[in-house]
């Protein structure tokens, strides 16, 4: 259990809730640490089939808490630092750790989803939002650019001119507009219910197949066909040799519901 994020697992679904509601779940250093440590906890539990990431109170996440973060300049320097062998620094890992999970992550948005909060949501596999949720690539308001993996996650969802416009203007738009732009998966009056429904549907499939599907698209989205096809073959071979594939085949032959074992990755 983290100070900033509560984690509850119900029927194989992990509910990770940002619980700094009094500050609209804004990002301070304890929140950054929690956003990197909680995914590690989730990854260790191979019975978890999906993650629902949400915010307590009136907002999903209102972005960086400048007042809190600005008080500790040494922590800021450490947050940007990374070894040459590392892909992410602390701020980037706070988002990327959720993307690297071998299970689908479904972000549930409401209230405000600004700046770093939006980059966190974009790192999820799916995003469900209320129609009136306010979203923004807010960094330009403060003379900054997105630096919590938004340069990658934005380009996967919208054309480059849209990414530039949203980032240069810091315009605020609602959930309906976000869906039109391709930034969210679904708009719903009850986004949590919608997320639960998709998580339950995915959970009926092989946990290994789901994990490798996530890896397949993330590893090949910008690859050459040659590289992508090689990755396809390698992942497929591992699935064919795995126990859950055999369970799927036996269940299909017997016309029964598969009884999966925990994921192998």
């Amino acid at each position: 259990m983290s100070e900033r994020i509560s984690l509850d697992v119900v029927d194989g679904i992990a509910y990770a809730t940002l619980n700094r509601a009094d500050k609209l779940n804004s990002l301070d250093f304890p929140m950054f640490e929690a956003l990197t440590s909680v995914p590690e906890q989730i990854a260790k539990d191979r019975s978890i089939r999906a993650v629902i990431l949400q915010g307590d109170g009136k907002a999903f996440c209102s972005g960086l808490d400048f007042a809190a973060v600005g008080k500790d300049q040494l922590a800021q320097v450490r947050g940007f630092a990374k070894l040459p062998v590392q892909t992410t620094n602390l701020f980037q890992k706070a988002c990327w750790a959720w993307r690297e999970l071998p299970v689908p992550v479904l972000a549930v948005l409401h209230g405000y989803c600004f700046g770093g909060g939006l980059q966190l949501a974009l790192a999820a596999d799916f995003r469900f939002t209320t129609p009136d949720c306010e979203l923004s690539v807010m960094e330009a308001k403060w003379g900054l650019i997105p630096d919590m993996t938004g340069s990658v996650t934005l380009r996967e969802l919208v054309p480059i001119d849209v990414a530039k416009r949203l980032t240069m203007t810091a315009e605020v738009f609602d959930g309906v507009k976000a869906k039109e732009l391709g930034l969210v998966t679904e708009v719903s009056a009850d986004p949590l219910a919608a997320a639960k429904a998709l998580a339950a549907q995915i959970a009926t499939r092989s946990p290994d197949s789901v994990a490798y599907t996530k890896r397949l698209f993330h590893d090949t989205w910008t690859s050459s066909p040659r590289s992508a096809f090689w990755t396809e073959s390698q992942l497929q071979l591992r699935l064919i040799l795995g126990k859950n594939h055999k369970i799927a085949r036996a269940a299909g032959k017997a016309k029964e519901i598969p009884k999966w074992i925990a994921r192998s990755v």
Side-chain angles (χ1 to χ4, degrees):
M1 185 71 67
S2 164
E3 176 188 353
R4 287 287 188 258
I5 301 178
S6 61
L7 182 63
D8 300 292
V9 181
V10 181
D11 296 330
I13 308 299
Y15 293 84
T17 305
L18 311 186
N19 57 17
R20 198 181 183 217
D22 59 320
K23 297 293 184 179
L24 299 176
N25 297 314
S26 57
L27 305 170
D28 60 358
F29 281 112
M31 183 69 84
F32 281 119
E33 294 292 346
L35 286 169
T36 63
S37 63
V38 171
E40 294 176 355
Q41 294 177 246
I42 294 171
K44 292 176 182 178
D45 187 344
R46 297 196 175 191
S47 69
I48 291 176
R49 301 301 311 278
V51 178
I52 291 179
L53 180 61
Q54 59 188 345
D56 187 28
K58 297 181 179 180
F60 172 70
C61 177
S62 60
L64 186 68
D65 184 338
F66 281 95
V69 171
K71 292 178 180 179
D72 195 337
Q73 294 186 352
L74 180 58
Q76 289 184 58
V77 173
R78 290 174 177 170
F80 278 108
K82 62 181 176 183
L83 299 173
V85 296
Q86 293 178 311
T87 302
T88 56
N89 60 33
L90 172 65
F91 305 117
Q92 294 161 339
K93 187 177 180 182
C95 295
W96 207 246
W98 300 89
R99 178 178 170 111
E100 290 187 317
L101 282 173
V103 294
V105 178
L106 301 85
V108 176
L109 314 180
H110 75 288
Y112 305 106
C113 184
F114 292 157
L118 179 55
Q119 291 181 81
L120 175 60
L122 296 178
D125 299 283
F126 307 96
R127 285 153 297 283
F128 296 83
T129 183
T130 59
D132 60 351
C133 179
E134 296 184 20
L135 303 91
S136 175
V137 185
M138 187 68 77
E139 285 77 9
K141 181 178 179 180
W142 313 112
L144 301 171
I145 59 171
D147 67 339
M148 291 173 57
T149 73
S151 58
V152 170
T153 52
L154 268 173
R155 78 184 186 200
E156 293 176 345
L157 297 172
V158 299
I160 190 170
D161 60 332
V162 175
K164 288 177 180 177
R165 175 176 175 171
L166 295 178
T167 304
M168 290 177 180
T169 64
E171 65 181 272
V172 178
F173 48 94
D174 64 18
V176 176
K177 182 65 175 181
K179 181 65 170 67
E180 293 175 1
L181 293 171
L183 288 173
V184 300
T185 310
E186 185 176 324
V187 180
S188 172
D190 190 347
L192 178 57
K196 286 181 178 179
L198 179 57
Q201 183 181 7
I202 292 173
T204 66
R205 301 305 180 188
S206 161
D208 291 330
S209 174
V210 170
Y212 282 156
T213 295
K214 182 168 179 173
R215 183 182 298 182
L216 171 66
F217 287 116
H218 285 173
D219 288 355
T220 65
W221 202 249
T222 58
S223 298
S224 67
R226 180 184 179 89
S227 176
F229 299 158
W230 173 258
T231 301
E232 280 183 9
S233 299
Q234 293 299 304
L235 295 179
Q236 190 76 303
L237 180 60
R238 295 178 196 176
L239 288 171
I240 289 171
L241 297 175
K243 293 182 179 179
N244 275 318
H245 171 62
K246 295 179 175 62
I247 290 171
R249 292 185 61 184
K253 185 176 181 179
K255 297 183 179 180
E256 298 175 344
I257 298 175
K259 296 181 180 179
W260 310 112
I261 61 172
R263 58 183 167 79
S264 62
V265 292

